[in-house]
Amino acid sequence: MILLDGKHIAATIRQEIREQVEQLRAAGCRVPKLVIVIVGHNPASETYVANKMKACAEVGIEAEKRAFEASVTEAELLAEVARLNSDPSVDGFIVQLPLPEHIAETAILSAIDYRKDVDGLTPANVGRTVQGLPSIVSATPRGIRELLARYHIATEGKHVVVIGRSNIVGKPIAMLLMQRPYLSLPSMSAASLGNATVTVCHSKTQDLASICRTADIIIVAAGSPKLLTADMVREGATVIDVGINRVDDPASPKGYRLVGDVDFEQVAPKTAYITPVPGGVGPMTIVSLLQNTLQAYSND
Ligand code: GUN
């Protein structure tokens, strides 16, 4: 069993991005710029945004936070999106989710110019991905794909079972792995990714265990601790755990610890490759945002 070390790969990619940004600076070009829009004071969102700002600073990408009170109107936020869409100094921007209830998330996301949508969440980018057009892929699917590529885990002809059908993980990763690989992201070997046979399972799937036992690669993004157990995994499979769940742990200083969707102790010995939680997919997601920002900059 080999651990897919997202922490290490993410550090390698950060170094690559740092070097690319430094080359731009040395050549007298402006550096890429990301703007992060945050509304209200959701503590989790504030932590995510702080981490994203820090990650940008570490690689030399310029980052600006635009904070709005929770009372901001949808019209005011749409005006900000329009301003960012037309600001040539901004390569990419994201609107941190969730938004307050009086603001329609779809209206805001749909208004973002897909070329600046470094979260890859606009209907335009998702549609472009589905049709095999150049697109910006959302952070977690991009991170998973990058992790598979860096460990030379080919997907062609393989049976990939995805558990979870969310817009930000399940649906896009299924789409990416089934498509013809001509749409490979710049850092990937075109031959190795895509062309998989993909089965998407969800909460209403019957006999999940039997389906999983036929998988070469299982990607679990269901938000349910220990959902994937050893009896569901065949010997030599690859398991990618996207779950981040808090479980009570009185022994931990915080009173909780983070676990994935996989019963790691039981499942790991049967696998060829498996991601740990934490330290697997998680660290890849922020690095994907940095890659997407560089991609948006380069596409200008
Ligand atoms: N909230 C939680 N994760 C994300 C993300 O990846 N992007 C945005 N915009 N909001 C989030």
Side-chain angles (χ1 to χ4, degrees), residues 58-215:
E58 277 170 13
V59 298
I61 290 178
E62 190 184 340
E64 182 186 321
K65 184 166 113 176
R66 305 270 302 152
F68 292 83
E69 287 303 324
S71 57
V72 69
T73 65
E74 189 174 301
E76 285 166 334
L77 208 52
L78 284 169
E80 176 67 8
V81 168
R83 195 191 69 73
L84 292 168
N85 279 342
S86 58
D87 182 342
S89 75
V90 175
D91 298 290
F93 65 99
I94 67 172
V95 178
Q96 188 66 27
L97 305 175
L99 292 169
E101 284 198 353
H102 65 277
I103 297 175
E105 194 177 294
T106 323
I108 301 297
L109 291 180
S110 303
I112 298 173
D113 183 332
Y114 74 87
R115 290 162 297 192
K116 294 193 177 189
D117 167 30
V118 287
D119 251 342
L121 295 179
T122 59
N125 258 321
V126 175
R128 292 177 69 84
T129 303
V130 171
Q131 294 199 340
L133 297 167
S135 65
I136 301 180
V137 173
S138 60
T140 305
R142 181 169 184 160
I144 294 169
R145 218 167 96 139
E146 187 85 50
L147 204 51
L148 292 170
R150 300 260 173 166
Y151 279 89
H152 307 288
I153 300 171
T155 57
E156 183 162 302
K158 299 287 171 58
H159 184 204
V160 177
V161 170
V162 177
I163 308 177
R165 55 180 158 176
S166 69
N167 283 340
I168 61 169
V169 186
K171 283 186 210 165
I173 192 66
M175 202 54 61
L176 288 173
L177 295 182
M178 67 168 261
Q179 76 191 356
R180 291 183 200 277
Y182 58 81
L183 223 193
S184 284
L185 297 169
S187 59
M188 291 171 183
S189 137
S192 62
L193 289 158
N195 278 339
T197 303
V198 180
T199 303
V200 181
C201 300
H202 47 76
S203 52
K204 301 285 184 273
T205 297
Q206 290 182 8
D207 203 359
L208 179 64
S210 317
I211 297 170
C212 287
R213 278 192 290 270
T214 67

Side-chain angles (χ1 to χ4, degrees), residues 211-239:
I211 297 170
C212 287
R213 278 192 290 270
T214 67
D216 300 299
I217 299 172
I218 306 176
I219 299 174
V220 202
S224 178
K226 297 199 178 180
L227 176 76
L228 193 79
T229 49
D231 59 302
M232 300 164 78
V233 179
R234 67 162 186 78
E235 290 283 339
T238 290
V239 171

